Amino acid sequence: MSNDFTPWQRTAHGANLLDPAGTPRVTIFEEITGLANKHNALNLGQGFPDTEGPEEIRQIALKSIAEGANQYAPGSGIPALRHAIASHQKRFYGFELDPETQVVVTTGATEAIAAAILAFVQPGDEVVTFEPYYDSYAAMIGLANAKHNVVQLQLPDFQPDLAKLRATVTDKTRMIILNNPHNPTGSVFGEDVLNEIIALAHQHDCIILSDEVYEHLTFGVSHVPVATLPGGFERTITISSAGKSFSFTGWKVGWATGPEKLITAVRTVKQFLTYSSGPAFQPAVAQALELPDEFFAQFAGSLGHTCGLLADSLEQSGIPVFRPRGTYFLVADVSQLGYQDATELARLLPERLGVAAIPMSVFVHPENRQGYSSLLRFAFCKKEDVIVEAARRLSRLPELAR
């Protein structure tokens, strides 16, 4: 990275948004979505659902607007939501949190990520993530002027080599960023990986930032927050949001929980980013967090069903699929169709087959792209009829490759 880069250029560079000349370019998401719109394609590229969240929760937001919840919410979030978050963590994971000092509401998980990194990471520090990685991490690491080190997730199950993880985390590491369940691969990390992260955080005196926005969207496995394991809580900032759990991605209501000293730091930075947001949405999210267990189970079951439909169809067409254990996404390998560059194929799909997908290589450091170059990510968080039609169109992929 050039020493002459300004903060915005470091941010763009971290997210792979600068060309070799230092000129900004659009994200692959914007490019592919533009092609999808141009060709009226089914957009399985971006990870947002095409269904609305629960009607009763939407009505609470409407009622809140009508009754005047339109001014600033408290900077830490309304008390009802902070208490609901604490109750949710106790109900599902056994956490005992003080909603006054160990919970802060943010403008989506994205702001929580930014506030946490900016609160603790200084120029020259090192931050470790798994690769492929959610691009927001790389952008914020760049903004903080830190060094982004990666541990590659290995096929076929996208799990890390623990020896490589140990070699990557050093005394220069200030933060380990964990995304579990993992976007973009759909993997879920076992307790062996989580316990190793905890041990390394203690050994090298660093912080764990655990992004758990897909916590309720797992298939056949239970989500285990790293903070619930021995030695985990004291070093972990845990992040989640209402967007993925309730299909309200545009509401941008997220939160961070953890020890008071860590949350105080996140809250201090967060108040100078947005201060507060979503005053009418926060009461609705508080109620959503109290929905019965059946809601969460049924939602995950529905997603698992659409995932299976898409995966089965791709496999029947001779396209290997890495079946996810969580999230909105599955990954397919198009190399057997003769495509070594999935980015090229992603640019053709909207026009040729009427489906949009995202190449996995955009989620990795440029020097590591070759290892992921033939992989495409599909989002299956769509209505069943959309997935069925997308699967029908994608069944023609082998013909496209001829």
Side-chain angles (χ1 to χ4, degrees):
M1 184 188 303
S2 170
N3 292 329
D4 296 329
F5 278 177
T6 61
W8 79 263
Q9 289 173 314
R10 293 198 306 269
T11 304
H13 181 270
N16 296 327
L17 294 183
L18 291 185
D19 66 18
T23 304
R25 54 193 172 201
V26 299
T27 68
I28 191 70
F29 303 99
E30 185 175 350
E31 180 185 354
I32 297 299
T33 294
L35 290 171
N37 292 337
K38 178 180 179 180
H39 299 290
N40 197 28
L42 302 176
N43 192 349
L44 305 191
Q46 288 189 283
F48 60 85
D50 59 359
T51 57
E52 296 293 339
E55 172 65 20
E56 65 269 32
I57 303 304
R58 284 184 279 151
Q59 288 301 320
I60 294 170
L62 290 172
K63 185 171 182 286
S64 297
I65 292 171
E67 293 180 352
N70 302 302
Q71 309 307 323
Y72 293 127
S76 294
I78 65 169
L81 179 52
R82 283 186 277 117
H83 280 266
I85 293 166
S87 295
H88 170 276
Q89 297 300 81
K90 182 177 182 179
R91 169 185 166 192
F92 286 98
Y93 312 121
F95 280 123
E96 291 283 353
L97 293 172
D98 182 345
E100 301 300 322
T101 62
Q102 296 180 316
V103 180
V104 61
V105 177
T106 59
T107 304
T110 305
E111 184 185 42
I113 293 164
I117 292 173
L118 295 175
F120 291 103
V121 176
Q122 300 186 69
D125 283 346
E126 296 184 1
V127 180
V128 173
T129 75
F130 291 129
E131 184 182 62
Y133 47 77
Y134 178 49
D135 55 0
S136 180
Y137 309 148
M140 288 301 102
I141 293 167
L143 179 59
N145 206 11
K147 183 180 180 183
H148 183 188
N149 294 327
V150 297
V151 178
Q152 291 183 293
L153 298 179
Q154 300 178 324
L155 299 176
D157 54 358
F158 291 111
Q159 295 294 313
D161 181 317
L162 295 185
K164 292 181 179 178
L165 177 60
R166 293 184 199 107
T168 304
V169 179
T170 71
D171 288 344
K172 295 181 180 180
T173 303
R174 182 57 175 145
M175 180 177 285
I176 303 170
I177 301 180
L178 170 67
N179 181 202
N180 187 40
H182 185 263
N183 171 21
T185 68
S187 59
V188 172
F189 302 117
E191 290 191 23
D192 59 332
V193 176
L194 303 182
N195 281 318
E196 188 63 41
I197 290 171
I198 293 169
L200 290 168
H202 281 271
Q203 179 183 347
H204 297 289
D205 191 25
C206 56
I207 294 165
I208 302 167
L209 179 60
S210 187
D211 178 354
E212 303 180 12
V213 296
Y214 295 99
E215 60 183 315
H216 289 296
L217 308 182
T218 60
F219 318 127
V221 294
S222 297
H223 172 62
V224 178
V226 67
T228 63
L229 299 176
F233 180 79
E234 62 211 69
R235 289 186 173 271
T236 301
I237 301 166
T238 301
I239 291 171
S240 194
S241 80
K244 303 301 191 293
S245 293
F246 305 109
S247 298
F248 291 131
T249 58
W251 285 13
K252 298 299 289 180
V253 177
W255 51 86
T257 63
E260 180 178 354
K261 65 178 182 179
L262 299 183
I263 297 306
T264 297
V266 173
R267 183 173 57 245
T268 300
V269 173
K270 172 263 183 312
Q271 69 182 344
F272 297 108
L273 296 176
T274 62
Y275 177 64
S276 73
S277 58
F281 297 138
Q282 291 191 31
V285 173
Q287 290 297 308
L289 287 169
E290 297 176 359
L291 287 168
D293 291 359
E294 302 85 75
F295 167 82
F296 298 97
Q298 289 173 4
F299 186 27
S302 175
L303 274 175
H305 175 65
T306 55
C307 173
L309 290 174
L310 184 57
D312 288 346
S313 178
L314 289 169
E315 288 178 343
Q316 288 163 12
S317 300
I319 304 165
V321 170
F322 307 98
R323 290 181 180 253
R325 303 183 78 190
T327 77
Y328 281 170
F329 309 108
L330 67 79
V331 178
D333 187 348
V334 297
S335 61
Q336 293 188 20
L337 301 178
Y339 283 97
Q340 296 305 317
D341 184 0
T343 302
E344 175 191 355
L345 180 59
R347 289 175 171 139
L348 292 174
L349 282 176
E351 179 179 6
R352 300 287 185 86
L353 295 185
V355 179
I358 297 293
M360 286 284 282
S361 59
V362 302
F363 301 105
V364 305
H365 283 354
E367 62 269 24
N368 296 333
R369 284 177 181 165
Q370 188 59 38
Y372 303 92
S373 63
S374 66
L375 304 181
L376 273 180
R377 191 195 75 172
F378 294 92
F380 52 81
C381 50
K382 311 296 178 181
K383 296 174 184 175
E384 182 173 336
D385 61 330
V386 172
I387 293 297
V388 169
E389 175 58 20
R392 185 191 69 78
R393 297 180 186 185
L394 289 168
S395 68
R396 295 171 43 222
L397 254 176
E399 300 172 18
L400 185 64
R402 293 189 189 122

